[in-house]
Structure formats: structure tokens, C-alpha cells
Amino acid sequence: MDNRVADITLNKDEMRLWGSLALQGIDNAMSGLATMVNREIRMSSLSLKQVPASEAPDLVGGADKMVIGIYLAFEGDATGHLMLVHQPDVALAIIDMLLGNEPGATRDLNEMEQSALGEMGNIIGSAFLNAIADALSLRLQPSPPEVILDMAGAILDVAFAEILQQTDDVIVAETSFGTSDRQARGTFLVIPSFNFLKVILSNAGVEK
Amino acid sequence: MISGKLDQLGPIDVSSIARSDSLIAVGLGEIKVSRDPSAVLVSFGLGSCVAVCAYDLTARVGGMMHVVLPYCSNKDSARKFPGKYADIGMPTLIREMENHGAMRTRIQVKIAGGASVIHAATFDGLLDMGQKNVVAVRTALESESIPIVSSDTGGHKGRSVWLVVGTGGMTVRTASGATVYP
Amino acid sequence: MARVLVVDDAIFARMRCARLLTDNGYEVDEASNGAEALAKYKQQKPDAVLLDITMPDMDGLAALKQIINHDPDARVAMVSAMGQKSMVVEALEVGAKDFVVKPFDAARVLQAVQKLVS
């Protein structure tokens, strides 16, 4: 077994490459969402970060913040984790939009409501992966989505447990997005595994 | 799947400890030790992670370790995050407590965490990571001959865990309520 | 009246698809995973199948292989968000007649079904 900590740190060129691929993916993901809800979607921020494991939950407003998370893992030629994070009340507004209900009509999360959110996660996550996979001739297959109401940190633990087996830092692409009326908004997190970065960099001709 | 209804999300009163002046946050893989009896150590939003709350009531020393993984495969990474692995983190936690004046024979432990929040087996080896962490923590404590006084582990809900250094009291909060282990 | 089997693990996606097809005069049956799809196909032999890919247990590609294996003339269109080139090519090679990439576009889905049943 390799006894060194894998260094996930990206140099400037690698960061630029990962950034441009992530942006292609996020663009495709947001246009998928726009088609799904039949509204314009705006990205209010996009950041690419490398953070120590201990600080990673701060990305979503703190580890103990109650959120509705839609989680997908992906595997295939590379692996990683995708998550949509919504304030619970905003998630309900999104469900109203998806189900064509009057605003405020959705109060609980039963099977149909969870399925609507899950399908949104499936479309956003798949569209993100489609763009990157096609750009690099890879196959990246998402898992079925899981919709979870819990503390943000508790949901993210599954990603950290996988990534921290090899590294101490986590690379995250974080996008805040919303409809122009801000009725629906959320955060889309992409947390690649160490192997994902190796694969995309070597497929693009950069050795990691 | 979601079992909690949204209207159960009301504020849960942990204010007596959560507003402590000397709140010390313990992030993933960290070990923090204090000999300030009024200090409160806290790990927020544990899913599969486990918080090990150790204390010596006589020396009034408390320590918390935020375990992410059961067994060490990579000793180097334990330098930056000594509490990342249950197996090699436990001796470090105890040594740190001793350095702060605790006596090994007086140390008692409460543990919380190790939930399975994501149900699907996403990757090989990630399934039941919470359960694996709990087992590894128990094993590590057994080999150190340190007793577990109370534990709040498993299930499907995330937890935040507070330890009051001076009393050894552990408070565990989930989405649906708080439990105090005095 | 043509019978269409709609296969998707998300009840939300099945509902939208089923509503669209019944509104347009099709008879619709539903399955929520690959294994159920295969069983219903054998039992009912629908005129067309709309098949999602990302599903628990047996995914859509595995189900497609088994359906084609059981009935080489099966008329199946994939309807999936997982629209990567390699996936589209593989599905068509296995025997899917069409591949509709989600998000759901009503006209495109109807066009695919019309082609399958004609």
C-alpha cells in the first residue's frame, strides 16, 4: 500500500482545466434545470475550492444546518459525489413549481414530492456528467438520487468518508443558482474523488 | 427517504450548552482537549462519523475526537488530522488528555454518531461506514481498557454532539430532538 | 389502441409520461425498475417501451438487453437523463430504436412513441 498521503493539490494549469470542464458541466446542468422547470435559471456564484476536510462542511453554511439534500454518487471511468442543497422551505417551493401546484401548496414530503426533487437531481447531475463525459470520451454513470432531510454535514459525510481515505483535502465546485424571482434557489456541489481528478487530467493530456 | 415531517423542524433547545462562551468546535479528523471546566467541545453534523467524548472528572479534563474512518491505511495523513482514524486516533486522544493532566485509569468515554444517512451502497466499502466506525471505536477503547459509559450510535439520522468538560455530560441533537447523557 | 410500457424509478417521471401518453390516446402500463419491466414485458407484450436508464436493482441498459434477448423485435426507446455519447451508442447497438434525453420534452417523447408503434 502506498504510504504517502495523496496530494490532491492542483497546479494552475490543472485548476484551469478542471475549472473549464466543471463550468461546461454546470452550464449543461443549469440548462437542463431551466428546461425542466421551464424558467430562466441564473447562476449567482461559482467557486472552485480546495479545502481541508475539517472545513468542508462550512461550504454549505455549517455542518449542523438543516437542509434538504439530493445526493447522487457517480461511477464508471471515474467516481465522485454530486449534491443539491436546499433550505427546506425553498425545496417545497421548488416542488410546487415541478408539480404545477399553487405556491405554498406543498407542505410535506411524501413519495411524489420526494420523487420530483429526486428527478430534478437526476437531471442536473446527469447533465453535468454528460458534458464532462462527452468532452473527454468517458462514461460517468450516476446513481439513482437520494432525497434526504438532515444536517448538511451528516449528508456530506458519505463523500468525505470516501475521499479522505486517500487525501486530507477536498476539491469542491460550488454553484449557487436560482430562478430570476429567487423563488427556487439552491447550491450544487460537485465533489470529485481523487481518481476523478487523475482521470480527467490524464485524459486531457496532463499527468497527475 | 425522509421520515421526519417538516413541521418537526422547530428549534430544539440546546441553548444552555450551545451558547457557552468557550465553545470549541471539533472538525472532521480533529482532536481537541481542554482543561477549562466551563468549556464545551462540539462536533456538528455527524453522519457516519463518530464523536468520541472522553473526560476525567477529577482532573476536569475533557477531549473530543471526530472520527471519519475506522482503520488507518495511511499514517502520514494522521499527522494533519490525528483523529481521522479510530484505531490510531484513540492512543493520541488519550496521550493528549494525559498531557493535560488526566489519568488514564480515570478516563471515561461517551460516544455518538455512526449513522447511515445515505441508504444506497454508492461505492464498495462505503456501505455501513457508520457501523464500521462504531465497531472500530469500541475495539480501540477495549484495547486501551477504557469503559464506554453511554453511547448513542447507529440509525439513519445525523447528530450534533456536545461535551461539557467539567461535568462529562454529553448532549446529542438530531433533527427530531435532543438527548442528554449526564 | 397501442399499449406503451413506461419504465422509470421516479414516480414523478412516470406520472408525467403516463399523463402525456393517455392524453394522446395510448394505453399505459408502468414499471419502476428493470426487473419489473422485464416481467411486465413478457406478460403483456406491449407495443412500445419507454425505458429509463438510471434505476436501482436492474438498470435500464441491463433491462434492455434482457428484453431484446427475450424478444428481438421489441420496440424500445430509451428516455433518460444519462445521455452520454457512449451510452447512446451502446443502447442503440443493443437494440433500442431511439434515445430521448431528459429533461422531458413532450413533443419529442410523442414523436418517439409514434415511430415505435407505426
Side-chain angles (χ1 to χ4, degrees):
Chain A
M1 176 149 310
D2 188 354
N3 236 9
R4 288 169 307 137
V5 189
D7 188 1
I8 207 166
T9 306
L10 301 179
N11 69 30
K12 218 168 152 191
D13 288 342
E14 292 167 343
M15 195 49 133
R16 193 173 302 143
L17 175 70
W18 154 237
S20 106
L21 280 168
L23 192 59
Q24 283 178 52
I26 289 164
D27 246 7
N28 205 37
M30 292 301 128
S31 70
L33 174 63
T35 308
M36 188 185 189
V37 297
N38 198 22
R39 280 174 172 80
E40 190 192 342
I41 298 293
R42 291 181 185 169
M43 274 189 262
S44 51
S45 74
L46 166 67
S47 73
L48 302 169
K49 282 184 201 150
Q50 176 177 345
V51 292
S54 53
E55 292 167 24
D58 296 342
L59 292 169
V60 285
D64 66 335
K65 191 175 164 195
M66 284 305 289
V67 299
I68 288 182
I70 306 160
Y71 170 85
L72 299 89
F74 64 90
E75 55 190 357
D77 292 322
T79 64
H81 311 263
L82 307 173
M83 190 162 121
L84 287 163
V85 184
H86 301 283
Q87 288 172 32
D89 58 324
V90 174
L92 297 184
I94 293 172
I95 294 167
D96 285 335
M97 205 174 270
L98 292 170
L99 294 179
N101 294 340
E102 288 295 309
T106 303
R107 295 191 179 278
D108 285 328
L109 285 161
N110 299 315
E111 191 187 5
M112 183 62 80
E113 288 79 11
Q114 291 189 43
S115 173
L117 288 180
E119 183 67 1
M120 179 177 73
N122 176 41
I123 282 173
I124 291 177
S126 298
F128 174 85
L129 296 173
N130 290 349
I132 292 186
D134 284 349
L136 298 177
S137 303
L138 300 172
R139 181 177 292 186
L140 302 170
Q141 198 155 350
S143 70
E146 267 196 69
V147 180
I148 302 146
L149 168 67
D150 210 324
M151 303 174 195
I155 305 173
L156 286 168
D157 262 6
V158 72
F160 299 150
E162 186 260 326
I163 292 162
L164 297 185
Q165 292 178 36
Q166 282 165 300
T167 74
D168 284 336
D169 286 0
V170 179
I171 298 259
V172 184
E174 180 197 17
T175 312
S176 296
F177 61 90
T179 49
S180 48
D181 60 4
R182 306 268 302 143
Q183 194 193 342
R185 59 188 189 278
T187 303
F188 178 48
L189 294 178
V190 180
I191 310 176
S193 303
F194 185 61
N195 69 45
F196 178 88
L197 294 163
K198 275 201 291 200
V199 167
I200 64 163
L201 294 174
S202 76
N203 267 55
V206 186
E207 283 300 326
K208 175 73 185 160
Chain B
M1 269 298 176
I2 291 167
S3 50
K5 293 246 176 171
L6 287 177
D7 54 13
Q8 289 172 345
L9 273 186
I12 292 150
D13 190 23
V14 287
S15 52
S16 54
I17 49 167
R19 285 196 202 128
S20 162
D21 288 335
S22 32
L23 200 63
I24 302 168
V26 185
L28 277 90
E30 291 184 334
I31 292 176
K32 298 264 175 85
V33 174
S34 170
R35 56 178 155 203
D36 168 6
S38 66
V40 177
L41 296 158
V42 56
S43 284
F44 290 117
L46 301 161
S48 57
C49 291
V50 175
V52 178
C53 306
Y55 53 92
D56 173 344
L57 288 180
T58 310
R60 303 187 100 186
V61 171
M64 186 181 279
M65 170 163 78
H66 189 148
V67 172
V68 184
L69 293 162
Y71 304 109
C72 176
S73 56
N74 195 328
K75 282 218 163 75
D76 270 7
S77 99
R79 262 183 238 150
K80 194 166 169 189
F81 292 112
K84 186 158 134 178
Y85 304 100
D87 59 346
I88 63 167
M90 202 61 76
T92 312
L93 171 65
I94 292 160
R95 200 166 51 241
E96 282 281 305
M97 302 248 324
E98 287 173 334
N99 291 344
H100 282 72
M103 257 179 70
R104 165 184 290 267
T105 49
R106 288 195 305 245
I107 293 176
Q108 296 187 312
V109 163
K110 293 170 182 161
I111 64 171
S116 163
V117 175
I118 307 271
H119 297 230
T122 51
F123 292 112
D124 288 348
L126 278 191
L127 189 63
D128 293 333
M129 185 57 84
Q131 187 55 38
K132 286 175 193 162
N133 281 335
V134 172
V135 169
V137 164
R138 287 182 176 279
T139 307
L141 284 166
E142 225 163 83
S143 62
E144 300 282 348
S145 306
I146 290 177
I148 297 178
V149 179
S150 26
S151 66
D152 185 324
T153 59
H156 299 291
K157 288 270 160 209
R159 295 172 173 89
S160 286
V161 180
W162 289 263
L163 171 69
V164 182
V165 169
T167 66
M170 175 175 81
T171 300
V172 179
R173 193 188 72 183
T174 67
S176 47
T179 313
V180 180
Y181 297 87
Chain C
M1 192 164 24
R3 289 225 318 258
V4 183
L5 177 61
V6 174
V7 188
D8 199 308
D9 58 322
I11 185 174
F12 170 76
R14 289 203 308 275
M15 175 201 73
R16 287 180 77 172
C17 200
R19 195 177 285 169
L20 173 74
L21 294 176
T22 40
D23 285 353
N24 283 275
Y26 294 97
E27 199 178 311
V28 176
D29 221 324
E30 299 180 21
S32 61
N33 61 50
E36 199 186 331
L38 183 64
K40 287 208 168 163
Y41 189 89
K42 287 178 177 171
Q43 202 179 42
Q44 300 163 348
K45 205 172 180 312
D47 301 297
V49 183
L50 297 182
L51 189 52
D52 182 27
I53 291 176
T54 307
M55 294 186 290
D57 305 323
M58 189 197 290
D59 75 13
L61 204 58
L64 173 67
K65 284 174 189 160
Q66 300 223 25
I67 289 171
I68 297 288
N69 195 30
H70 167 77
D71 174 9
D73 298 323
R75 295 159 179 223
V76 183
M78 310 310 282
V79 180
S80 173
M82 211 292 200
Q84 289 160 32
K85 280 177 208 149
S86 66
M87 181 58 83
V88 175
V89 168
E90 186 175 346
L92 296 179
E93 275 172 7
V94 171
K97 307 272 186 270
D98 200 349
F99 198 116
V100 182
V101 180
K102 287 194 221 175
F104 192 85
D105 178 64
R108 179 72 181 83
V109 172
L110 282 176
Q111 179 209 14
V113 173
Q114 277 155 12
K115 234 167 58 187
L116 287 177
V117 299
S118 66

